[in-house]
Each structure stands twice: as structure tokens, then as C-alpha cells.
Amino acid sequence: MDNSVNFSLEGKIALVTGASYGIGFAIAKGMAACGATIVFNDIKQELVDKGLAAYKEEGIEAHGYVCDVTDENAVNELVAKIEKEVGVIDILVNNAGIIKRIPMLEMSAADFRAVIDVDLNAPFIVSKAVIPSMIKKGHGKIINICSMMSELGRETVSAYAAAKGGLKMLTRNICSEYGKYNIQCNGIGPGYIATPQTAPLREIQPDGSRHPFDQFIIAKTPAERWGEASDLAGPAVFLASDASNFVNGHVLYVDGGILAYIGKQP
Ligand code: NAP
Ligand code: GCO
């Protein structure tokens, strides 16, 4: 390989939030395969234990911590602990996220705030906690897990779309403020990915047919399939590696072509 092209993550420490399973786990697994040391957190001890066992099964010695990413004090303590026990974080993936599918007029302000708190405020909190050490070290990579809803709306996801649209702009702003310190902050916008978060949209109907939303997504995706969490690993490795050192403030949509497509004619 040409020496100017380097996808290796050897010697790098990656913190992936909410990565006991799902998209975060697949991204961390991909990064580990390219040499990174994996650190992850989740909100409950049982999830961390489950995650540690899953990483072990893949031959990965991950470091797992319990931490709620919306709690600024807990996040600051977590980052200090990681620096002491593992080392300075080179790569942060803001992956932890929640969704509440409720029509806007039925949604309480408390539910709206809860989504914004995890999906937008937390990436601000965790990024703020890791950037000072990245500046001191002279480099850093931040990857924010955005969404189709960073660009599009749909019924029932007002809070999620507001948060993910905001996360796209937080991505651009981190790039704008800290690019001069050799920090690259980019987003990944997954399409519709088969994880527990989207399981309700794929439930088989009582008559044995596929969920109407499932059929809609297949028709709306040129690839004619849901994404797998593993589809996100290669793009995440690219954005974490030196191969993307002049890519900054960008959102890479990994959606099987949804955003390019007007949709199948009925
Ligand atoms: P998931 O299966 O629900 O996993 C999300 C993880 O984040 C879970 O382990 C969850 O723990 C954790 N988490 C939630 N709140 C947290 C908090 N306050 N502190 C720490 N951890 C927390 O979701 P996923 O589908 O893998 O999605 C991962 C990310 O990709 C999210 O940001 C999501 O919005 C985004 N995304 C997903 C899709 C998709 O189609 N699946 C598409 C685009 C973007 P619990 O299990 O306790 O909730
Ligand atoms: C929904 C979905 C989504 C996604 C995803 C798409 O209800 O429409 O859950 O919003 O999972 O973020 O990119």
C-alpha cells in the first residue's frame, strides 16, 4: 500500500459511547480489527457486562464503564478515569442515542427534552470532556452518529429529528472551532439499520406479512435492504484514521442510497 494511505488505528484509543451492542458495538469491532484499543460505556452495569462478554467472544479485550452520557459530572469522571487506566482518547464516537416515536401534538415537553438530552446534549458534553486532551496531544477524531433525520422529517420523530439535525450542526461547529488543533469532527448518517432501536418498525404482522414500514424502507432504499450494523464499520474506520485527515465537518451518509432516491413509483 502507498505509505500516504493509512487506515491503521494501531496505538489509538477509541471511546465509543453506548456500545454494548448495535451500531456502536459494530463500529468498535471494526476499529479493533484495525488496531484500536476499545473503550465503551453504557448506562447500566448489566449492559456493560453483556458488552464485555460480547467483545471477549470476538477476541477483543475492551474496557467497559458504566456512565450516563447526559450527566456532565459523570462524563468528566469517566474521561479522567479512562486517561488514568487506559490512556488519552484519540477517537470519540458519540453513538449512544434514544428515540421516542410519538406524534408531536401528543408528545410531552419532558419526552422531547429527554431525546434532545441523549442525542444532542450528550455529544456536546462528551466532546467537551475529550477535546482538551486531544488539543494537548496534537490530534483527535470525533465521529457523531447522525441519522437520515439529520436531513429529513417524518411523522412521530420531531424530537429525534431536531436532535439529529442539531448534531449535524454541532459536528460542523466542532470542526470550525477545533480544526486548527488537528481535530477532525465528522458525522455518519446511517440509513435504516436493523438493530433493537428499529425492531418495532420490522415486526412481523399478525397475518404473517412484513410491517408496512419495513416494506416502505425496502422500496425507498436503492439497495433494497435494511442496513446491517456492520455496514457502518468501514466508514467509521475511515473517519477515525489518518486517511481522512483533511475531511472535516462532513456527514457521511451510509444509507444504501436513500437520500439520492426519489422512491419507487407505485
Ligand atoms: P440501540 O440499539 O438502541 O443502542 C443505543 C445504545 O445507547 C444502547 O446500548 C443504549 O442503552 C445506549 N444509551 C442510551 N442512552 C444512554 C445514555 N444516556 N448513556 C449511555 N448510553 C446510553 O441503538 P442503535 O440502533 O445501535 O443506534 C446507535 C446510534 O445510531 C444512535 O445514536 C441512533 O440514533 C443512531 N442511528 C440508528 C439508526 C438505526 O437505523 N438503527 C439509524 C441512524 C442512526 P439502553 O439499551 O439502556 O437504552
Ligand atoms: C424512525 C427510525 C429512524 C432511524 C434512523 C434513520 O423511526 O424513523 O427509527 O429515525 O432509526 O435514525 O437514519
Side-chain angles (χ1 to χ4, degrees), residues 18 21-23 41-44 47 67-70 95-98 118 145-147 160 164 190-193 195-198:
Y21 62 89
I23 290 174
N41 74 294
D42 223 310
I43 197 163
K44 297 179 217 120
L47 278 177
C67 178
D68 179 344
V69 286
T70 64
N95 168 75
I98 60 168
V118 181
I145 304 302
C146 298
S147 163
Y160 187 78
K164 294 294 187 177
Y192 279 82
I193 311 295
T195 69
Q197 194 240 55
T198 53

PDB file of all heavy atoms in Angstrom, residues 18 21-23 41-44 47 67-70 95-98 118 145-147 160 164 190-193 195-198, ligand 1:
ATOM      1  N   GLY A  18     -22.239   4.073  24.443  1.00  0.00           N
ATOM      2  CA  GLY A  18     -23.419   3.201  24.259  1.00  0.00           C
ATOM      3  C   GLY A  18     -23.135   2.030  23.336  1.00  0.00           C
ATOM      4  O   GLY A  18     -23.952   1.716  22.467  1.00  0.00           O
ATOM      5  N   TYR A  21     -23.911  -3.113  22.315  1.00  0.00           N
ATOM      6  CA  TYR A  21     -24.496  -3.873  21.199  1.00  0.00           C
ATOM      7  C   TYR A  21     -24.841  -2.884  20.097  1.00  0.00           C
ATOM      8  O   TYR A  21     -24.530  -1.684  20.197  1.00  0.00           O
ATOM      9  CB  TYR A  21     -25.745  -4.650  21.682  1.00  0.00           C
ATOM     10  CG  TYR A  21     -26.864  -3.770  22.194  1.00  0.00           C
ATOM     11  CD1 TYR A  21     -27.829  -3.296  21.329  1.00  0.00           C
ATOM     12  CD2 TYR A  21     -26.927  -3.405  23.538  1.00  0.00           C
ATOM     13  CE1 TYR A  21     -28.850  -2.470  21.786  1.00  0.00           C
ATOM     14  CE2 TYR A  21     -27.953  -2.578  24.006  1.00  0.00           C
ATOM     15  CZ  TYR A  21     -28.916  -2.119  23.127  1.00  0.00           C
ATOM     16  OH  TYR A  21     -29.923  -1.303  23.574  1.00  0.00           O
ATOM     17  N   GLY A  22     -25.455  -3.363  19.036  1.00  0.00           N
ATOM     18  CA  GLY A  22     -25.960  -2.475  17.976  1.00  0.00           C
ATOM     19  C   GLY A  22     -24.844  -1.811  17.175  1.00  0.00           C
ATOM     20  O   GLY A  22     -23.758  -2.371  17.001  1.00  0.00           O
ATOM     21  N   ILE A  23     -25.147  -0.599  16.699  1.00  0.00           N
ATOM     22  CA  ILE A  23     -24.230   0.116  15.806  1.00  0.00           C
ATOM     23  C   ILE A  23     -22.895   0.409  16.501  1.00  0.00           C
ATOM     24  O   ILE A  23     -21.824   0.237  15.911  1.00  0.00           O
ATOM     25  CB  ILE A  23     -24.908   1.417  15.311  1.00  0.00           C
ATOM     26  CG1 ILE A  23     -26.041   1.060  14.336  1.00  0.00           C
ATOM     27  CG2 ILE A  23     -23.904   2.360  14.676  1.00  0.00           C
ATOM     28  CD1 ILE A  23     -26.891   2.241  13.878  1.00  0.00           C
ATOM     29  N   ASN A  41     -18.854   2.720  27.037  1.00  0.00           N
ATOM     30  CA  ASN A  41     -19.675   2.857  28.240  1.00  0.00           C
ATOM     31  C   ASN A  41     -21.096   2.464  27.892  1.00  0.00           C
ATOM     32  O   ASN A  41     -21.475   2.417  26.715  1.00  0.00           O
ATOM     33  CB  ASN A  41     -19.660   4.307  28.750  1.00  0.00           C
ATOM     34  CG  ASN A  41     -20.499   5.193  27.867  1.00  0.00           C
ATOM     35  OD1 ASN A  41     -20.175   5.416  26.717  1.00  0.00           O
ATOM     36  ND2 ASN A  41     -21.608   5.681  28.393  1.00  0.00           N
ATOM     37  N   ASP A  42     -21.850   2.178  28.925  1.00  0.00           N
ATOM     38  CA  ASP A  42     -23.288   2.030  28.743  1.00  0.00           C
ATOM     39  C   ASP A  42     -23.948   2.463  30.037  1.00  0.00           C
ATOM     40  O   ASP A  42     -23.279   2.679  31.052  1.00  0.00           O
ATOM     41  CB  ASP A  42     -23.686   0.619  28.289  1.00  0.00           C
ATOM     42  CG  ASP A  42     -24.742   0.703  27.179  1.00  0.00           C
ATOM     43  OD1 ASP A  42     -25.739   1.423  27.382  1.00  0.00           O
ATOM     44  OD2 ASP A  42     -24.563   0.085  26.124  1.00  0.00           O
ATOM     45  N   ILE A  43     -25.255   2.555  29.983  1.00  0.00           N
ATOM     46  CA  ILE A  43     -25.951   3.227  31.080  1.00  0.00           C
ATOM     47  C   ILE A  43     -26.148   2.305  32.286  1.00  0.00           C
ATOM     48  O   ILE A  43     -26.255   2.781  33.410  1.00  0.00           O
ATOM     49  CB  ILE A  43     -27.268   3.847  30.542  1.00  0.00           C
ATOM     50  CG1 ILE A  43     -27.829   4.894  31.479  1.00  0.00           C
ATOM     51  CG2 ILE A  43     -28.272   2.802  30.169  1.00  0.00           C
ATOM     52  CD1 ILE A  43     -28.852   5.793  30.820  1.00  0.00           C
ATOM     53  N   LYS A  44     -26.139   0.978  32.048  1.00  0.00           N
ATOM     54  CA  LYS A  44     -26.359   0.033  33.158  1.00  0.00           C
ATOM     55  C   LYS A  44     -25.227  -0.981  33.218  1.00  0.00           C
ATOM     56  O   LYS A  44     -24.706  -1.395  32.181  1.00  0.00           O
ATOM     57  CB  LYS A  44     -27.661  -0.768  32.940  1.00  0.00           C
ATOM     58  CG  LYS A  44     -28.907   0.068  32.926  1.00  0.00           C
ATOM     59  CD  LYS A  44     -30.137  -0.830  32.666  1.00  0.00           C
ATOM     60  CE  LYS A  44     -31.141  -0.131  31.790  1.00  0.00           C
ATOM     61  NZ  LYS A  44     -31.482  -0.737  30.550  1.00  0.00           N
ATOM     62  N   LEU A  47     -25.608  -4.095  31.077  1.00  0.00           N
ATOM     63  CA  LEU A  47     -25.294  -3.909  29.648  1.00  0.00           C
ATOM     64  C   LEU A  47     -23.788  -3.901  29.429  1.00  0.00           C
ATOM     65  O   LEU A  47     -23.288  -4.441  28.434  1.00  0.00           O
ATOM     66  CB  LEU A  47     -25.884  -2.586  29.146  1.00  0.00           C
ATOM     67  CG  LEU A  47     -27.353  -2.597  28.750  1.00  0.00           C
ATOM     68  CD1 LEU A  47     -27.803  -1.202  28.337  1.00  0.00           C
ATOM     69  CD2 LEU A  47     -27.592  -3.564  27.586  1.00  0.00           C
ATOM     70  N   CYS A  67     -21.698   4.626  32.608  1.00  0.00           N
ATOM     71  CA  CYS A  67     -21.775   6.096  32.628  1.00  0.00           C
ATOM     72  C   CYS A  67     -22.974   6.547  31.810  1.00  0.00           C
ATOM     73  O   CYS A  67     -23.175   6.089  30.683  1.00  0.00           O
ATOM     74  CB  CYS A  67     -20.495   6.694  32.052  1.00  0.00           C
ATOM     75  SG  CYS A  67     -20.512   8.496  31.987  1.00  0.00           S
ATOM     76  N   ASP A  68     -23.749   7.448  32.379  1.00  0.00           N
ATOM     77  CA  ASP A  68     -24.853   8.088  31.656  1.00  0.00           C
ATOM     78  C   ASP A  68     -24.268   9.311  30.950  1.00  0.00           C
ATOM     79  O   ASP A  68     -23.795  10.245  31.609  1.00  0.00           O
ATOM     80  CB  ASP A  68     -25.944   8.495  32.671  1.00  0.00           C
ATOM     81  CG  ASP A  68     -27.118   9.192  32.012  1.00  0.00           C
ATOM     82  OD1 ASP A  68     -26.995   9.631  30.844  1.00  0.00           O
ATOM     83  OD2 ASP A  68     -28.166   9.315  32.678  1.00  0.00           O
ATOM     84  N   VAL A  69     -24.315   9.291  29.626  1.00  0.00           N
ATOM     85  CA  VAL A  69     -23.659  10.365  28.865  1.00  0.00           C
ATOM     86  C   VAL A  69     -24.343  11.725  29.003  1.00  0.00           C
ATOM     87  O   VAL A  69     -23.799  12.732  28.564  1.00  0.00           O
ATOM     88  CB  VAL A  69     -23.527  10.002  27.361  1.00  0.00           C
ATOM     89  CG1 VAL A  69     -22.448   8.974  27.141  1.00  0.00           C
ATOM     90  CG2 VAL A  69     -24.850   9.555  26.751  1.00  0.00           C
ATOM     91  N   THR A  70     -25.523  11.760  29.621  1.00  0.00           N
ATOM     92  CA  THR A  70     -26.183  13.062  29.808  1.00  0.00           C
ATOM     93  C   THR A  70     -25.738  13.745  31.111  1.00  0.00           C
ATOM     94  O   THR A  70     -26.101  14.891  31.359  1.00  0.00           O
ATOM     95  CB  THR A  70     -27.727  12.915  29.852  1.00  0.00           C
ATOM     96  OG1 THR A  70     -28.084  12.143  31.003  1.00  0.00           O
ATOM     97  CG2 THR A  70     -28.254  12.254  28.604  1.00  0.00           C
ATOM     98  N   ASN A  95     -22.124   7.735  19.950  1.00  0.00           N
ATOM     99  CA  ASN A  95     -23.085   6.774  19.381  1.00  0.00           C
ATOM    100  C   ASN A  95     -24.353   6.624  20.216  1.00  0.00           C
ATOM    101  O   ASN A  95     -25.427   6.392  19.671  1.00  0.00           O
ATOM    102  CB  ASN A  95     -22.389   5.404  19.254  1.00  0.00           C
ATOM    103  CG  ASN A  95     -23.377   4.290  18.965  1.00  0.00           C
ATOM    104  OD1 ASN A  95     -23.875   4.152  17.846  1.00  0.00           O
ATOM    105  ND2 ASN A  95     -23.696   3.503  19.996  1.00  0.00           N
ATOM    106  N   ALA A  96     -24.246   6.726  21.551  1.00  0.00           N
ATOM    107  CA  ALA A  96     -25.418   6.486  22.420  1.00  0.00           C
ATOM    108  C   ALA A  96     -26.576   7.352  21.940  1.00  0.00           C
ATOM    109  O   ALA A  96     -26.397   8.535  21.649  1.00  0.00           O
ATOM    110  CB  ALA A  96     -25.078   6.813  23.864  1.00  0.00           C
ATOM    111  N   GLY A  97     -27.734   6.753  21.836  1.00  0.00           N
ATOM    112  CA  GLY A  97     -28.875   7.527  21.365  1.00  0.00           C
ATOM    113  C   GLY A  97     -30.179   6.841  21.728  1.00  0.00           C
ATOM    114  O   GLY A  97     -30.207   5.634  21.980  1.00  0.00           O
ATOM    115  N   ILE A  98     -31.251   7.632  21.775  1.00  0.00           N
ATOM    116  CA  ILE A  98     -32.589   7.078  22.005  1.00  0.00           C
ATOM    117  C   ILE A  98     -33.559   7.706  21.008  1.00  0.00           C
ATOM    118  O   ILE A  98     -33.258   8.746  20.419  1.00  0.00           O
ATOM    119  CB  ILE A  98     -33.107   7.327  23.454  1.00  0.00           C
ATOM    120  CG1 ILE A  98     -33.184   8.825  23.777  1.00  0.00           C
ATOM    121  CG2 ILE A  98     -32.248   6.602  24.465  1.00  0.00           C
ATOM    122  CD1 ILE A  98     -33.945   9.137  25.066  1.00  0.00           C
ATOM    123  N   VAL A 118     -30.133  13.091  25.346  1.00  0.00           N
ATOM    124  CA  VAL A 118     -29.226  11.981  24.994  1.00  0.00           C
ATOM    125  C   VAL A 118     -28.610  12.201  23.601  1.00  0.00           C
ATOM    126  O   VAL A 118     -27.418  11.959  23.397  1.00  0.00           O
ATOM    127  CB  VAL A 118     -29.963  10.622  25.012  1.00  0.00           C
ATOM    128  CG1 VAL A 118     -28.990   9.490  24.677  1.00  0.00           C
ATOM    129  CG2 VAL A 118     -30.619  10.361  26.368  1.00  0.00           C
ATOM    130  N   ILE A 145     -22.739  10.137  15.528  1.00  0.00           N
ATOM    131  CA  ILE A 145     -23.677   9.291  14.787  1.00  0.00           C
ATOM    132  C   ILE A 145     -24.974  10.076  14.592  1.00  0.00           C
ATOM    133  O   ILE A 145     -25.772  10.257  15.520  1.00  0.00           O
ATOM    134  CB  ILE A 145     -23.906   7.926  15.481  1.00  0.00           C
ATOM    135  CG1 ILE A 145     -22.548   7.202  15.685  1.00  0.00           C
ATOM    136  CG2 ILE A 145     -24.852   7.068  14.627  1.00  0.00           C
ATOM    137  CD1 ILE A 145     -21.733   6.950  14.416  1.00  0.00           C
ATOM    138  N   CYS A 146     -25.125  10.554  13.366  1.00  0.00           N
ATOM    139  CA  CYS A 146     -26.291  11.358  12.973  1.00  0.00           C
ATOM    140  C   CYS A 146     -27.387  10.417  12.482  1.00  0.00           C
ATOM    141  O   CYS A 146     -27.568   9.336  13.065  1.00  0.00           O
ATOM    142  CB  CYS A 146     -25.869  12.373  11.922  1.00  0.00           C
ATOM    143  SG  CYS A 146     -24.636  13.551  12.534  1.00  0.00           S
ATOM    144  N   SER A 147     -28.090  10.773  11.426  1.00  0.00           N
ATOM    145  CA  SER A 147     -29.259   9.981  11.015  1.00  0.00           C
ATOM    146  C   SER A 147     -29.789  10.491   9.680  1.00  0.00           C
ATOM    147  O   SER A 147     -29.450  11.607   9.258  1.00  0.00           O
ATOM    148  CB  SER A 147     -30.344  10.154  12.087  1.00  0.00           C
ATOM    149  OG  SER A 147     -31.613   9.752  11.610  1.00  0.00           O
ATOM    150  N   TYR A 160     -36.389  13.538  17.822  1.00  0.00           N
ATOM    151  CA  TYR A 160     -35.213  12.848  17.263  1.00  0.00           C
ATOM    152  C   TYR A 160     -34.647  13.646  16.078  1.00  0.00           C
ATOM    153  O   TYR A 160     -33.436  13.847  15.974  1.00  0.00           O
ATOM    154  CB  TYR A 160     -35.650  11.451  16.828  1.00  0.00           C
ATOM    155  CG  TYR A 160     -34.553  10.520  16.377  1.00  0.00           C
ATOM    156  CD1 TYR A 160     -33.740   9.887  17.299  1.00  0.00           C
ATOM    157  CD2 TYR A 160     -34.348  10.240  15.024  1.00  0.00           C
ATOM    158  CE1 TYR A 160     -32.748   8.993  16.888  1.00  0.00           C
ATOM    159  CE2 TYR A 160     -33.366   9.358  14.604  1.00  0.00           C
ATOM    160  CZ  TYR A 160     -32.570   8.737  15.544  1.00  0.00           C
ATOM    161  OH  TYR A 160     -31.588   7.856  15.130  1.00  0.00           O
ATOM    162  N   LYS A 164     -30.991  15.214  15.877  1.00  0.00           N
ATOM    163  CA  LYS A 164     -30.010  14.745  14.888  1.00  0.00           C
ATOM    164  C   LYS A 164     -29.652  15.858  13.887  1.00  0.00           C
ATOM    165  O   LYS A 164     -28.541  15.896  13.388  1.00  0.00           O
ATOM    166  CB  LYS A 164     -30.529  13.495  14.161  1.00  0.00           C
ATOM    167  CG  LYS A 164     -30.682  12.266  15.083  1.00  0.00           C
ATOM    168  CD  LYS A 164     -29.348  11.755  15.613  1.00  0.00           C
ATOM    169  CE  LYS A 164     -29.500  10.449  16.379  1.00  0.00           C
ATOM    170  NZ  LYS A 164     -28.223   9.893  16.848  1.00  0.00           N
ATOM    171  N   PRO A 190     -26.355   7.008   9.414  1.00  0.00           N
ATOM    172  CA  PRO A 190     -26.806   5.678   8.987  1.00  0.00           C
ATOM    173  C   PRO A 190     -28.200   5.765   8.365  1.00  0.00           C
ATOM    174  O   PRO A 190     -29.036   6.570   8.786  1.00  0.00           O
ATOM    175  CB  PRO A 190     -26.865   4.871  10.298  1.00  0.00           C
ATOM    176  CG  PRO A 190     -26.102   5.680  11.306  1.00  0.00           C
ATOM    177  CD  PRO A 190     -26.249   7.117  10.880  1.00  0.00           C
ATOM    178  N   GLY A 191     -28.438   4.921   7.380  1.00  0.00           N
ATOM    179  CA  GLY A 191     -29.794   4.770   6.863  1.00  0.00           C
ATOM    180  C   GLY A 191     -30.594   3.938   7.848  1.00  0.00           C
ATOM    181  O   GLY A 191     -30.378   4.006   9.056  1.00  0.00           O
ATOM    182  N   TYR A 192     -31.508   3.132   7.359  1.00  0.00           N
ATOM    183  CA  TYR A 192     -32.312   2.287   8.258  1.00  0.00           C
ATOM    184  C   TYR A 192     -31.549   0.987   8.510  1.00  0.00           C
ATOM    185  O   TYR A 192     -31.324   0.198   7.592  1.00  0.00           O
ATOM    186  CB  TYR A 192     -33.711   2.078   7.686  1.00  0.00           C
ATOM    187  CG  TYR A 192     -34.572   3.286   8.006  1.00  0.00           C
ATOM    188  CD1 TYR A 192     -34.513   4.440   7.228  1.00  0.00           C
ATOM    189  CD2 TYR A 192     -35.369   3.292   9.138  1.00  0.00           C
ATOM    190  CE1 TYR A 192     -35.268   5.560   7.558  1.00  0.00           C
ATOM    191  CE2 TYR A 192     -36.120   4.412   9.483  1.00  0.00           C
ATOM    192  CZ  TYR A 192     -36.067   5.532   8.689  1.00  0.00           C
ATOM    193  OH  TYR A 192     -36.803   6.641   9.033  1.00  0.00           O
ATOM    194  N   ILE A 193     -31.137   0.825   9.774  1.00  0.00           N
ATOM    195  CA  ILE A 193     -30.242  -0.264  10.157  1.00  0.00           C
ATOM    196  C   ILE A 193     -31.006  -1.211  11.091  1.00  0.00           C
ATOM    197  O   ILE A 193     -31.703  -0.749  12.018  1.00  0.00           O
ATOM    198  CB  ILE A 193     -28.990   0.296  10.902  1.00  0.00           C
ATOM    199  CG1 ILE A 193     -28.347   1.476  10.133  1.00  0.00           C
ATOM    200  CG2 ILE A 193     -27.978  -0.820  11.166  1.00  0.00           C
ATOM    201  CD1 ILE A 193     -27.761   1.160   8.777  1.00  0.00           C
ATOM    202  N   THR A 195     -31.377  -2.923  14.032  1.00  0.00           N
ATOM    203  CA  THR A 195     -30.881  -3.015  15.418  1.00  0.00           C
ATOM    204  C   THR A 195     -32.120  -3.019  16.329  1.00  0.00           C
ATOM    205  O   THR A 195     -33.246  -2.781  15.866  1.00  0.00           O
ATOM    206  CB  THR A 195     -30.009  -1.789  15.796  1.00  0.00           C
ATOM    207  OG1 THR A 195     -30.863  -0.638  15.872  1.00  0.00           O
ATOM    208  CG2 THR A 195     -28.895  -1.543  14.804  1.00  0.00           C
ATOM    209  N   PRO A 196     -31.941  -3.236  17.640  1.00  0.00           N
ATOM    210  CA  PRO A 196     -33.108  -3.186  18.538  1.00  0.00           C
ATOM    211  C   PRO A 196     -33.878  -1.861  18.442  1.00  0.00           C
ATOM    212  O   PRO A 196     -35.101  -1.838  18.581  1.00  0.00           O
ATOM    213  CB  PRO A 196     -32.485  -3.361  19.923  1.00  0.00           C
ATOM    214  CG  PRO A 196     -31.226  -4.143  19.669  1.00  0.00           C
ATOM    215  CD  PRO A 196     -30.710  -3.673  18.335  1.00  0.00           C
ATOM    216  N   GLN A 197     -33.149  -0.761  18.130  1.00  0.00           N
ATOM    217  CA  GLN A 197     -33.828   0.541  18.050  1.00  0.00           C
ATOM    218  C   GLN A 197     -34.914   0.557  16.974  1.00  0.00           C
ATOM    219  O   GLN A 197     -35.929   1.229  17.101  1.00  0.00           O
ATOM    220  CB  GLN A 197     -32.772   1.642  17.779  1.00  0.00           C
ATOM    221  CG  GLN A 197     -33.258   3.057  17.993  1.00  0.00           C
ATOM    222  CD  GLN A 197     -33.162   3.891  16.713  1.00  0.00           C
ATOM    223  OE1 GLN A 197     -33.687   3.526  15.663  1.00  0.00           O
ATOM    224  NE2 GLN A 197     -32.507   5.028  16.828  1.00  0.00           N
ATOM    225  N   THR A 198     -34.694  -0.177  15.893  1.00  0.00           N
ATOM    226  CA  THR A 198     -35.659  -0.167  14.782  1.00  0.00           C
ATOM    227  C   THR A 198     -36.508  -1.449  14.728  1.00  0.00           C
ATOM    228  O   THR A 198     -37.322  -1.602  13.813  1.00  0.00           O
ATOM    229  CB  THR A 198     -34.923  -0.004  13.427  1.00  0.00           C
ATOM    230  OG1 THR A 198     -33.897  -1.003  13.342  1.00  0.00           O
ATOM    231  CG2 THR A 198     -34.306   1.368  13.275  1.00  0.00           C
TER     232      THR A 198
HETATM  233  P1  NAP B   1     -29.605   0.987  20.199  1.00  0.00           P
HETATM  234  O1  NAP B   1     -29.650  -0.394  19.641  1.00  0.00           O
HETATM  235  O2  NAP B   1     -30.792   1.487  20.933  1.00  0.00           O
HETATM  236  O3  NAP B   1     -28.278   1.253  21.058  1.00  0.00           O
HETATM  237  C1  NAP B   1     -28.038   2.502  21.656  1.00  0.00           C
HETATM  238  C2  NAP B   1     -27.199   2.312  22.880  1.00  0.00           C
HETATM  239  O4  NAP B   1     -27.033   3.571  23.579  1.00  0.00           O
HETATM  240  C3  NAP B   1     -27.824   1.346  23.868  1.00  0.00           C
HETATM  241  O5  NAP B   1     -26.824   0.498  24.404  1.00  0.00           O
HETATM  242  C4  NAP B   1     -28.372   2.286  24.926  1.00  0.00           C
HETATM  243  O6  NAP B   1     -28.566   1.712  26.194  1.00  0.00           O
HETATM  244  C5  NAP B   1     -27.277   3.349  24.944  1.00  0.00           C
HETATM  245  N1  NAP B   1     -27.714   4.545  25.663  1.00  0.00           N
HETATM  246  C6  NAP B   1     -28.931   5.144  25.593  1.00  0.00           C
HETATM  247  N2  NAP B   1     -28.966   6.207  26.413  1.00  0.00           N
HETATM  248  C7  NAP B   1     -27.746   6.272  27.020  1.00  0.00           C
HETATM  249  C8  NAP B   1     -27.176   7.134  27.978  1.00  0.00           C
HETATM  250  N3  NAP B   1     -27.859   8.167  28.481  1.00  0.00           N
HETATM  251  N4  NAP B   1     -25.899   6.919  28.379  1.00  0.00           N
HETATM  252  C9  NAP B   1     -25.206   5.876  27.878  1.00  0.00           C
HETATM  253  N5  NAP B   1     -25.683   5.014  26.972  1.00  0.00           N
HETATM  254  C10 NAP B   1     -26.951   5.209  26.538  1.00  0.00           C
HETATM  255  O7  NAP B   1     -29.354   1.956  19.002  1.00  0.00           O
HETATM  256  P2  NAP B   1     -28.619   1.721  17.597  1.00  0.00           P
HETATM  257  O8  NAP B   1     -29.669   1.453  16.614  1.00  0.00           O
HETATM  258  O9  NAP B   1     -27.431   0.849  17.724  1.00  0.00           O
HETATM  259  O10 NAP B   1     -28.186   3.232  17.402  1.00  0.00           O
HETATM  260  C11 NAP B   1     -26.919   3.757  17.778  1.00  0.00           C
HETATM  261  C12 NAP B   1     -26.878   5.196  17.298  1.00  0.00           C
HETATM  262  O11 NAP B   1     -27.138   5.234  15.897  1.00  0.00           O
HETATM  263  C13 NAP B   1     -27.933   6.103  17.940  1.00  0.00           C
HETATM  264  O12 NAP B   1     -27.399   7.384  18.124  1.00  0.00           O
HETATM  265  C14 NAP B   1     -29.052   6.123  16.902  1.00  0.00           C
HETATM  266  O13 NAP B   1     -29.834   7.268  16.987  1.00  0.00           O
HETATM  267  C15 NAP B   1     -28.223   6.109  15.640  1.00  0.00           C
HETATM  268  N6  NAP B   1     -28.915   5.656  14.441  1.00  0.00           N
HETATM  269  C16 NAP B   1     -29.542   4.430  14.402  1.00  0.00           C
HETATM  270  C17 NAP B   1     -30.133   4.023  13.211  1.00  0.00           C
HETATM  271  C18 NAP B   1     -30.824   2.702  13.040  1.00  0.00           C
HETATM  272  O14 NAP B   1     -31.477   2.504  11.999  1.00  0.00           O
HETATM  273  N7  NAP B   1     -30.713   1.774  13.972  1.00  0.00           N
HETATM  274  C19 NAP B   1     -30.094   4.840  12.096  1.00  0.00           C
HETATM  275  C20 NAP B   1     -29.477   6.078  12.200  1.00  0.00           C
HETATM  276  C21 NAP B   1     -28.889   6.470  13.362  1.00  0.00           C
HETATM  277  P3  NAP B   1     -30.074   1.124  26.543  1.00  0.00           P
HETATM  278  O15 NAP B   1     -30.151  -0.198  25.863  1.00  0.00           O
HETATM  279  O16 NAP B   1     -30.111   1.054  28.035  1.00  0.00           O
HETATM  280  O17 NAP B   1     -31.065   2.122  26.015  1.00  0.00           O
END
